[in-house]
Amino acid sequence: MKMNRYFAATAMVALVAANTASAGGLTAEVVEPVVVVPVVAPAAATRFTGAYVGASLGYTFSENDRVGVHTPAGTFLGDIGEFELAGPSAALFGGYRWNSGKWVFGPEVSVRFGDVSDDISYAGPIPAASTVTKELNWEAALRATLGYEVTPTTLVYGFLGYSAVEYDYVLNGAITLDETVSQNGLTAGLGVEHALNDTWAVRGLYVYNDYDRENLTGSGGRYTTDTTQLHTVNVGLVYSF
């Protein structure tokens, strides 16, 4: 009798254990959700942002500038001839650029030198036999540039600014005159720049400079009115920092 009770108790314990194990096996495992934090990529900087310097070679030429002679009272006596300044030139430049989307803007400074000159020989008789020489010494400019990225490696731009020029002016004959002349004026132009890599780029540029009219007075109070308008086309290399 005791033996039967023992077996019955054992069977009951086994049954409870089996039910417990079975119930545990059917319980689904709770998996914590994975929190995905989005990665925000930094805004890509344009290739044409930051400081840069460069050098260029080109050709400078002027609009026709007639050399007329006037009396001290302003009476026009006649023309000696017409200047057509022309010659090779070289420039050094540097600047800084910021960007807003595809638009690029910033200041640039440049200094130009070259063998840009012209000579006039006038046989007379009115106002008198004369020789005239005009030769560019230097030209400097401060300009504001505004450009647009056509592609990530190609920039087209325009500029407007202030320019100064110095040249030697020598006239003998109708007037005796030997001066180093300085003039101020406006500069404007268009350019295109193409990046070769992250550091180097090539550029092509057209520059127009229009300077103030200047009365140059020589012997006897006679004077001539000088006007200087220069055009320059050039190509160059740009190094970006």
Side-chain angles (χ1 to χ4, degrees), residues 53-59 88-93 108 110-113 143 203-205 207 232-238:
V53 295
S56 63
L57 296 175
Y59 189 79
S89 60
L92 299 175
F93 57 86
E108 180 176 292
S110 70
V111 180
R112 182 178 304 280
F113 305 91
R143 50 205 183 206
R203 66 155 50 171
L205 196 65
V207 182
T232 301
V233 290
N234 49 215
V235 294
L237 279 175
V238 185

Side-chain angles (χ1 to χ4, degrees), residues 18-213:
N19 287 337
T20 302
S22 176
L26 293 176
T27 302
E29 182 180 357
V30 178
V31 179
E32 294 292 333
V34 178
V35 178
V36 179
V37 179
V39 178
V40 179
T46 172
R47 164 61 178 79
F48 301 102
T49 297
Y52 63 93
V53 295
S56 63
L57 296 175
Y59 189 79
T60 298
F61 57 97
S62 71
E63 296 186 12
N64 296 339
D65 175 18
R66 301 197 66 81
V67 182
V69 177
H70 301 260
T71 67
T75 303
F76 178 66
L77 298 178
D79 286 329
I80 293 174
E82 189 173 71
F83 274 128
E84 296 181 3
L85 298 179
S89 60
L92 299 175
F93 57 86
Y96 195 94
R97 295 183 285 213
W98 296 271
N99 79 296
S100 177
K102 289 183 174 293
W103 291 99
V104 178
F105 54 93
E108 180 176 292
V109 294
S110 70
V111 180
R112 182 178 304 280
F113 305 91
D115 185 15
V116 181
S117 62
D118 193 24
D119 300 314
I120 299 173
S121 293
Y122 176 70
I126 300 173
S130 303
T131 59
V132 196
T133 300
K134 185 176 179 178
E135 183 175 3
L136 180 72
N137 292 331
W138 55 262
E139 178 186 271
L142 171 62
R143 50 205 183 206
T145 64
L146 176 64
Y148 184 79
E149 281 189 4
V150 178
T151 72
T153 57
T154 302
L155 177 73
V156 294
Y157 61 96
F159 58 85
L160 182 67
Y162 163 84
S163 185
V165 68
E166 182 186 276
Y167 54 89
D168 292 329
Y169 196 109
V170 180
L171 195 163
N172 289 300
I175 305 175
T176 300
L177 175 67
D178 187 347
E179 286 193 27
T180 297
V181 182
S182 298
Q183 291 179 330
N184 302 315
L186 175 75
T187 182
L190 298 170
V192 60
E193 191 169 318
H194 179 71
L196 302 175
N197 50 44
D198 289 341
T199 302
W200 291 100
V202 292
R203 66 155 50 171
L205 196 65
Y206 162 74
V207 182
Y208 170 70
N209 292 325
D210 186 8
Y211 294 102
D212 300 335
R213 296 168 63 87

